Amino acid sequence: MTLEPAIHPSWKEELSEQFSKPYFLQIKKTLLEEKKQGILIYPPGNLIFNAFNLTPFDEVKVVIIGQDPYHGTGQAHGLSFSVPFDTKAPPSLKNIFAELHDDLQLEIPGHGNLTSWAKQGVLLLNAILTVQASKAASHKHIGWEEFTDGAITKLSEKRAGLVFLLWGKFAEAKKTLIDENKHYVLTAPHPSPFSAHSGFFGCKHFSKANEILQHEGYNPIDWQLQTKAVSE
C-alpha cells in the first residue's frame, strides 16, 4: 500500500521514497482513525501539504521552520506562522511583523496570510503537519517529523545557497540536517511573547536573508504583505 498525497510533482519526486515507508503509512492510519472517532484535525486535508504546493522544490530560497500547526478554529492553513486572511494574527506572528517593521520599515499588515512569501520561494514548513483541535503538539509522535526532516535533508543535499531561519530551540535542533558549507543558517529565539525580547527582536533576519540571496544570485524576497484589513 502506498499513500499518494496531493503534493507538488517536484516534491513528490524528491520525497518519493518516503510515501511507502511504514511510518508514513502509520500517519495515514492515525489520521483516518482519529477522523472516524470524530476528532477534528487541522489543517483541512487539502491544505496539509500547502507549503510544498506553494513552494516547489526548485524554487525554495528561504526556509522558515515552525513546530506544528495552530490548533485554534480557522487558524491553520498549512504554512508555518501563517493564518488565512479572515483570521487575526496570533501573538508570534505579530512579533514577526514588529521585527519586519523595525528591520525593513515595512508597514504592518492587517492580516496574517503569508502566502505571498511562499509564492516567492519562502518554504513555510511546520515540522509536524497536522494537529488535533485545541491540543497543541498532539501529533508530535505520529511520524511527521521523519517526513519533514527528509524534506530538509533533500534541500540541503540537492540545493545550494539557501537561507534557513531557525527560531527557537525546536527549530535550531534541525541544524544537524543542514550542510552549513553549502547553506546559510540564521538562528534566533522564538518570536513568541515569552522569548521574543531575548533576541528575536533585533535579529534583522529579513534584511540579512535578502543580502544573502542577492549575494547568491537570487532575487530578494519582497517581505511586504498587502494591507488587507481583518474585521475585528
Side-chain angles (χ1 to χ4, degrees), residues 85 106-112 224-230:
F85 278 117
L106 298 184
E107 183 177 357
I108 294 177
H111 67 89
Q224 179 67 69
L225 301 176
Q226 59 177 304
T227 55
K228 177 179 178 180
V230 175

Side-chain angles (χ1 to χ4, degrees), residues 4 54 69 94 112 117-118 157-158 169 180 192 232:
E4 291 290 343
L54 289 173
K94 289 182 178 179
W117 293 2
E157 291 175 348
K158 301 189 73 171
K169 293 180 179 179
E180 294 187 64
S192 160
E232 295 292 327

Side-chain angles (χ1 to χ4, degrees), residues 34 53 82 95 102 132 145 152 163 166 179 190 203 220-221:
E34 290 187 359
N53 291 329
S82 181
N95 286 338
D102 181 67
Q132 292 180 9
E145 287 182 85
I152 295 167
V163 183
L166 307 183
D179 183 349
H190 195 277
C203 71
I221 304 299

Side-chain angles (χ1 to χ4, degrees), residues 67-216:
Q67 185 163 354
D68 68 332
Y70 295 120
H71 54 82
T73 303
Q75 290 182 307
H77 68 144
L79 304 177
S80 62
F81 295 103
S82 181
V83 291
F85 278 117
D86 56 353
T87 303
K88 293 174 68 174
S92 292
L93 185 53
K94 289 182 178 179
N95 286 338
I96 290 172
F97 291 155
E99 175 58 22
L100 264 172
H101 177 72
D102 181 67
D103 184 9
L104 295 170
Q105 292 74 55
L106 298 184
E107 183 177 357
I108 294 177
H111 67 89
N113 191 322
L114 306 182
T115 296
S116 69
W117 293 2
K119 289 182 176 180
Q120 294 179 73
V122 181
L123 181 66
L124 296 164
L125 180 65
N126 279 317
I128 302 158
L129 297 184
T130 57
V131 68
Q132 292 180 9
S134 303
K135 293 185 178 181
S138 48
H139 285 168
K140 185 175 181 179
H141 299 298
I142 71 170
W144 280 129
E145 287 182 85
E146 185 170 347
F147 179 76
T148 54
D149 281 358
I152 295 167
T153 299
K154 281 287 187 178
L155 286 170
S156 178
E157 291 175 348
K158 301 189 73 171
R159 298 291 311 281
L162 304 185
V163 183
F164 290 82
L165 305 183
L166 307 183
W167 299 334
K169 293 180 179 179
F170 178 89
E172 286 183 37
K174 304 299 181 181
K175 283 182 69 173
T176 59
L177 304 173
I178 303 163
D179 183 349
E180 294 187 64
N181 293 314
K182 294 171 58 182
H183 303 283
Y184 301 84
V185 176
L186 304 181
T187 62
H190 195 277
S192 160
F194 299 106
S195 55
H197 289 279
S198 61
F200 178 78
F201 290 141
C203 71
K204 299 192 180 300
H205 278 187
F206 304 101
S207 60
K208 290 178 180 178
N210 275 352
E211 289 172 5
I212 292 168
L213 291 177
Q214 289 177 298
H215 173 74
E216 290 290 331

